[in-house]
């Protein structure tokens, strides 16, 4: 809990409450806040404490203007070193740990994105704190709800740590509202020596005109039932184009080389919660359901009427994807 004895006096508790605050890590693409960080800020708000945000990398100062549009943010820390570009966990973790150590921050919040998942456990290890990952609900500043066993069970976890670190599943929280830019105090934080040799060399990004899988309102996902890459592209791409949807895939489809592995949905892929999820030739293994069962409307097309995907589908079409999908695409 907060490190106060039960016998602590009221004034001591009130003084402590005044001091306690939240540090929220904000990821950006250029100067724009990522959708997953906007959701993490909503979770931070629900703690009901003053919020300081941390922005890192060369675009941090520019992005601070964007963060000032979040009404609940009281202060912005920027650490603009080039070394924080690309969010290398070996570089970011020592900085976050140094800000948290012996501070008044009682909570540290980050999105459960690739970046957050990469550095949060390291911060926990440096500070000897147990992070709580992928929360879907804030019960109180030390108690959270999170899924476990690939989403088949829901846990309520209470932390006894003096500082509670947690990551936020973005599909479970609406993005925070951006209002007019305000005058929020901005403080620069120097680079913290990482003491290791990890450095960014290069990256290869999959370029796509399609909406981002993690935040798209509609997802068209293909599975092994599509047989091969040519059929995957022939059936899934035109349907996704008509619907302005992101493309997703099952692990079997990814493993068979039908598409890039960044499109995998599920326990070991992305967790999505679009308004509409169309599963094409996907059986609905629990590991796949873990990534999409929170979609508002699920449409499943499968020739096997016993396929488990139909147990979560709102609309089920039993039939051959090679007949149904072209017809559906033509009719939209
Ligand atoms: C630790 C672990 C983690 C995993 N993580 C993930 C994950 O993140 N995401 C994930 O997806 N999987 C994951 N898996 C794999 C998962 O268990 C399944 O193997 C996988 O989801 C199956 O993919 P699929 O539904 O495309 O293939 P299949 O299970 O082979 O299903 C293909 C479906 O297509 C249908 N079909 C075939 N032909 C047609 C046709 N002509 N018309 C209509 N329907 C047709 C079939 O009836 C069948 O239901 C994981 C497994 C493990 C062990």
């Amino acid at each position: 809990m907060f490190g106060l004895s039960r016998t602590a006096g009221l004034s001591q508790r009130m003084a402590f409450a005044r001091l306690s605050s939240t540090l929220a890590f904000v990821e950006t693409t250029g100067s724009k806040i990522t959708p997953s960080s906007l959701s993490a800020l909503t979770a931070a708000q629900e703690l009901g404490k003053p919020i300081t945000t941390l922005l890192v990398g060369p675009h941090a100062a520019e992005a601070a203007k964007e963060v000032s549009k979040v009404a609940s943010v009281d202060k912005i820390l920027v650490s603009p070193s080039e070394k924080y570009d690309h969010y290398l966990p070996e570089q970011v973790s020592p900085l976050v740990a140094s800000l948290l150590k012996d501070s008044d921050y009682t909570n540290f919040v980050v999105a459960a994105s690739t970046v957050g998942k990469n550095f949060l456990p390291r911060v926990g290890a440096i500070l000897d704190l147990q992070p709580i990952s992928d929360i879907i609900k804030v019960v109180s500043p030390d108690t959270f709800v999170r899924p476990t066993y690939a989403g088949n069970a829901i846990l309520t976890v209470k932390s006894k740590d003096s500082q509670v670190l947690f990551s936020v599943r973005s599909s479970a929280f609406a993005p925070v509202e951006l209002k007019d830019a305000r005058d929020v105090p901005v403080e620069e934080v120097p680079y913290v020596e990482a003491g290791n040799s990890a450095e960014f060399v290069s990256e290869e990004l999959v370029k796509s005109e399609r909406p981002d899988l993690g935040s798209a309102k509609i997802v068209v996902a293909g599975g092994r039932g599509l047989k091969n890459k040519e059929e995957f592209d022939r059936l899934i791409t035109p349907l996704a184009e008509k619907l302005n949807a992101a493309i997703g895939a099952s692990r079997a489809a990814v493993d068979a080389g039908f598409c890039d592995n960044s499109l995998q949905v599920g326990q070991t892929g992305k967790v999505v919660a679009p308004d509409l999820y169309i599963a094409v030739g996907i059986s609905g293994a629990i590991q796949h359901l873990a990534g999409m069962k929170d979609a508002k409307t699920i449409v499943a097309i499968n020739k096997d009427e016993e396929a488990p995907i139909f147990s979560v589908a709102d609309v089920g079409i039993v039939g051959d994807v090679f007949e149904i999908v072209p017809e559906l695409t033509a009719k939209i």
Side-chain angles (χ1 to χ4, degrees), residues 34-36 39 170-171 175 208-221 240-241 243-248 262-263 265 270-278 291-292 294-297:
T34 60
S36 60
S39 297
S170 55
S171 59
S208 168
E209 302 288 300
R210 307 245 60 79
D212 171 56
L213 178 58
S215 53
K217 295 217 174 315
I218 305 179
V219 174
V220 178
E241 249 155 36
L243 294 168
N244 191 28
I247 293 178
S262 61
L263 303 187
V265 172
K270 297 219 164 73
V271 176
V272 299
D275 292 341
L276 175 62
Y277 188 90
I278 305 180
M292 45 64 76
D294 291 332
K296 291 203 182 78
T297 301

Side-chain angles (χ1 to χ4, degrees), residues 224 250-251 264-265 267-268 283 287-288 302 320-321:
R224 183 152 38 199
S250 69
R251 175 154 146 189
Q264 183 177 320
V265 172
Q267 185 187 338
T268 42
S283 60
Q287 295 91 353
H288 187 79
N302 197 304
D320 188 340
V321 292

Side-chain angles (χ1 to χ4, degrees), residues 96-163:
V96 174
S98 78
L99 290 170
L100 289 173
K101 198 171 182 345
D102 302 326
S103 73
D104 298 329
Y105 301 121
T106 46
N107 286 90
F108 176 72
V109 187
V110 65
S113 58
T114 309
V115 170
K117 283 179 184 167
N118 233 342
F119 82 75
L120 186 65
R122 294 167 195 258
V123 175
I126 296 170
L127 298 174
D128 197 19
L129 298 169
Q130 172 63 61
I132 299 175
S133 55
D134 221 10
I135 66 134
I136 56 170
K137 191 175 169 196
V138 174
V139 178
S140 71
D142 63 2
T143 308
F144 306 90
V145 177
R146 66 179 296 268
T148 187
Y149 297 121
N152 285 301
I154 301 293
L155 278 179
T156 300
V157 193
K158 185 179 171 92
S159 172
K160 289 186 174 172
D161 284 339
S162 55
Q163 292 176 301

Side-chain angles (χ1 to χ4, degrees), residues 47-82:
L47 300 169
K49 300 175 183 188
I51 299 174
T52 298
T53 54
L54 171 62
L55 293 157
V56 301
H59 299 287
E62 250 178 280
K65 282 190 212 111
E66 194 74 2
V67 174
S68 77
K69 296 178 183 170
V70 180
S72 53
V73 169
D74 299 278
K75 188 174 173 185
I76 301 170
L77 303 180
V78 294
S79 199
S81 168
E82 291 278 343

